[in-house]
Amino acid sequence: MPLALAPPRGTMAAMSSSVPAATTALFDELDRVIRESSLEVHFQPIVDVGAPGIVGFEALTRAPANSALHSPLVLFDTAASAGRLVELERIVMRRIVNRFVELQLPGKLFINVTADTLLASESRIAIIAAVLQPLQLDASRIVVELTETRPVFDPVALGTAVAALRSLGLLMALDDLGEGFSGLKRWVDLKPDFVKIDRHFIDGIASDPLKQQFVRSILEMASPTGTAVIAEGLEQEGDLRVLRGMGLHLCQGYLLARPSAMPRSSLRMDVQALLDSHDDGAGGRVVDADVAAVTAGQLAHDGPVATPALSCAEVIEMFRRDPRLYSVPVVDEAGRPLGLLRSLLVLHRGAERFFLEIHGRASCRLLMDANPLVFDVSASLRTMSETISNIDDRFMVDGFVITREGCYVGVGRTSELLRALSDLQVVTAQNANPLTRLPGNLAIDRQLARLLDEGARFLLVYWDISRFKAFNDLYGYAAGDEVIRMTAGLLLADAEQRGDFVGHIDGDDFVCVMASLQAGPRLERLCEAFDGGMRALLEPAHVAAGGYETPDRRGRPVFHAIPLLVGGALPVQPGRFASVRQLSAALAELRQQAKGLARSGCFIERRQGQPLA
């Protein structure tokens, strides 16, 4: 429930002299609660389900359980009616922040505020500043959640109030997106650091395509603005799987933890096991079929950012205050990363004799590493691992910067990259084809099931090396294995360029999952590359003849043409297939059609296009 931070325009003087007895009783109880400061504060964690861990806590305040004002709604409505909202707000905020610091909780502190409250008092900023100053909690760790219970008729004034809060260093969140009066216009006007999707769109999302599309749209809008998205009301494991598959990693709900007056600073063992599990087939800690397609963008996290206007003295103090802060990117006005402030180097320089006296007011650029590790969002696991293996061990803890088209997106943690690489090794060992090391049948089925659950559009291609047996019989199994590895290499190289998926079913059969439905030229290039590779493996005489002769069971010579790469391509639209089994059956028909091709090519489903041959 919202925490009020300033009084409404009405006061006790404006109330009717004939107050009902029930209201008088509530006023008396409010007086006792304020006088005794008998307020209970509960905290519910907000969890990163991708790299499992707690990133912050939402504060929930209420009167004692035996009080008539126990409900937060009744408590703050009564305070507003009594004209004592400012008085209550100071006590509540001080109580919340004090308790948060006292419990030494990690991450950010989320506090609910109504739009009416922000607009109600010109003294609100001074009140908040006065409360925070003695409590030794950095303002950047506090997130004000804007909750709208009624329409806002003065959006300009609301924007001014939000800007004033930000001037203190506080972050902003738009609460309950999709419910009440919180909408896309408010998002555009206020440019919040976080948006919290209303629980209505999260509960049951696993079985509701419309909810899935709503959340997918929110994520698409949030990406270019750098806004972090939080899912509220997560209660079911199936919903968790779908959210992780979509790339929504910040979640809050009873499945992860209930509000508590004595919250844990880390996840319960059962929750940690749930999020670490390799059986859910999706997630920010991508496992099974997904792990090979992990990119830097999936490892990006929001975090503090510095600008060149920040002084050396300020960044030194920032690192001193927060020992868990290892690095901070420095970005220019256009959002381009200029360098990285590393805790190790900053504190070392700050301890030098006379450094602060001489350079304290200078730009923090003096202290930054101008050549940090930077990856584009599309960088693959392989690219990142090869690059990071060459950096100084002392800087491993500092992580890396992630960009999109040269602009800052977030920071990545080396620990998560190493975890993803570890997952890749485990999955490869357990589920990969032993010859090509590509994902096998189990990983393929999980990948397709996840895409069907998400309602994704994709092109599914079943590749087969036709005429392979005769080649294998004549040239031997070692040469046959070389053809299979060559084919796997071609398909994998093409898939990695675009973040697509490729799996090895068995023998000479492969599956590719392509994000683009318009892949005709790519399929043609793969077939041409296969033909070129086959010619390089054949004897010149067989290339010239277009094939070779082998004896049949009776010893009579039989001519066999050179092996081909043929495929059946199935464009998949949301809702068309209910299961992987249905998908496989439709693909089997196309595979038979492809076997009739006279040269390497791919047969695309007739309803979608003509065969490429």
Side-chain angles (χ1 to χ4, degrees), residues 40-328:
E40 297 177 357
V41 179
H42 288 62
F43 297 94
Q44 184 175 29
I46 296 169
V47 177
D48 184 338
V49 298
I54 295 173
V55 298
F57 293 82
E58 180 178 357
L60 305 167
T61 308
R62 51 184 52 119
N66 60 357
S67 171
L69 301 177
H70 179 64
S71 164
L73 182 61
V74 175
L75 173 65
F76 290 107
D77 280 352
T78 301
S81 299
R84 305 186 67 178
L85 206 48
V86 170
E87 191 177 1
L88 177 64
E89 76 171 19
R90 294 187 184 187
I91 296 171
V92 167
M93 174 165 272
R94 186 175 293 108
R95 176 72 173 144
I96 286 176
V97 179
N98 256 326
R99 190 61 178 152
F100 186 79
V101 173
E102 189 177 289
L103 293 172
Q104 297 183 338
L105 296 177
K108 300 187 184 299
L109 171 60
F110 288 70
I111 304 176
N112 287 289
V113 178
T114 64
D116 287 346
T117 292
L118 288 181
L119 294 171
S121 171
E122 296 180 358
S123 63
R124 59 187 172 273
I125 305 305
I127 291 171
I128 296 173
V131 169
L132 294 179
Q133 188 172 3
L135 297 178
Q136 302 301 309
L137 180 64
D138 188 87
S140 64
R141 293 183 62 194
I142 298 179
V143 183
V144 176
E145 289 189 30
L146 179 60
T147 303
E148 298 174 63
T149 56
R150 291 191 297 160
V152 175
F153 297 108
D154 194 348
V156 175
L158 180 61
T160 301
V162 169
L165 288 176
R166 281 200 163 118
S167 69
L168 295 176
L170 279 71
L171 302 178
M172 291 298 303
L174 193 60
D175 196 17
D176 297 332
L177 189 71
E179 197 262 342
F181 299 97
S182 294
L184 300 182
K185 185 178 185 302
R186 193 76 61 236
W187 186 350
V188 172
D189 290 344
L190 299 181
K191 298 179 177 60
D193 303 283
F194 299 86
V195 292
K196 301 184 77 173
I197 301 179
D198 183 71
R199 61 174 295 118
H200 170 77
F201 297 96
I202 302 303
D203 190 25
I205 191 173
S207 58
D208 193 327
L210 287 178
K211 291 182 179 180
Q212 293 172 20
Q213 187 56 52
F214 176 83
V215 172
R216 193 176 290 112
S217 299
I218 296 302
L219 291 171
E220 289 175 358
M221 288 186 291
S223 179
T225 65
T227 304
V229 180
I230 301 174
E232 291 188 297
L234 177 61
E235 297 184 5
Q236 303 178 54
E237 290 187 30
D239 296 339
L240 170 65
R241 286 194 292 271
V242 170
L243 292 172
R244 293 178 72 178
M246 290 180 175
L248 201 167
H249 295 161
L250 298 183
C251 298
Q252 178 181 356
Y254 285 1
L255 179 65
L256 305 173
R258 292 175 178 267
S260 171
M262 293 290 293
R264 296 170 55 96
S265 59
S266 60
L267 297 173
R268 298 196 319 267
M269 291 183 63
D270 60 322
V271 175
Q272 185 76 44
L274 170 66
L275 298 180
D276 283 344
S277 171
H278 284 208
D279 293 331
D280 59 20
R285 181 181 177 188
V286 187
V287 296
D288 296 325
D290 292 333
V291 72
V294 170
T295 62
Q298 292 168 273
L299 300 179
H301 289 273
D302 189 27
V305 177
T307 68
L310 206 62
S311 70
C312 289
E314 289 172 316
V315 300
I316 290 171
E317 180 59 24
M318 178 172 60
F319 282 111
R320 283 176 177 170
R321 285 198 309 265
D322 190 352
R324 290 173 295 186
L325 186 62
Y326 298 120
S327 62
V328 174

Side-chain angles (χ1 to χ4, degrees), residues 324-491:
R324 290 173 295 186
L325 186 62
Y326 298 120
S327 62
V328 174
V330 181
V331 301
D332 63 16
E333 293 181 355
R336 294 184 295 267
L338 301 174
L340 191 69
L341 295 166
R342 303 180 186 276
S343 174
L344 182 67
L345 297 180
V346 169
L347 294 179
H348 177 74
R349 292 294 308 276
E352 292 177 359
R353 191 176 183 184
F354 301 127
F355 180 86
L356 284 174
E357 289 80 357
I358 299 173
H359 302 293
R361 295 184 180 180
S363 168
C364 63
R365 296 185 68 160
L366 181 67
L367 293 171
M368 77 180 188
D369 175 2
N371 296 293
L373 202 56
V374 179
F375 293 115
D376 184 77
V377 290
S378 62
S380 67
L381 260 184
R382 179 178 299 176
T383 298
M384 290 186 285
S385 63
E386 290 175 353
T387 304
I388 209 165
S389 64
N390 296 318
I391 70 171
D392 193 314
D393 290 345
R394 294 174 300 168
F395 298 148
M396 286 288 285
V397 72
D398 297 334
F400 44 89
V401 179
I402 300 172
T403 62
R404 178 184 285 107
E405 298 180 354
C407 291
Y408 173 80
V409 170
V411 291
R413 301 166 185 162
T414 308
S415 60
E416 291 182 26
L417 175 56
L418 296 177
R419 186 183 295 117
L421 290 170
S422 175
D423 284 346
L424 180 58
Q425 293 173 343
V426 171
V427 169
T428 298
Q430 292 180 344
N431 297 319
N433 183 279
L435 178 60
T436 62
R437 312 310 297 168
L438 290 176
N441 290 354
L442 179 61
I444 293 169
D445 286 348
R446 287 179 174 173
Q447 172 77 352
L448 294 177
R450 180 180 67 81
L451 293 173
L452 291 178
D453 287 343
E454 292 178 5
R457 292 178 173 83
F458 58 94
L459 184 69
L460 180 60
V461 186
Y462 194 121
W463 290 109
D464 175 60
I465 304 175
S466 70
R467 309 170 183 171
F468 178 73
K469 185 179 184 303
F471 172 87
N472 200 56
D473 290 344
L474 179 63
Y475 280 79
Y477 74 87
D481 287 352
E482 191 171 353
V483 170
I484 291 174
R485 283 193 294 265
M486 180 265 291
T487 306
L490 293 174
L491 298 177

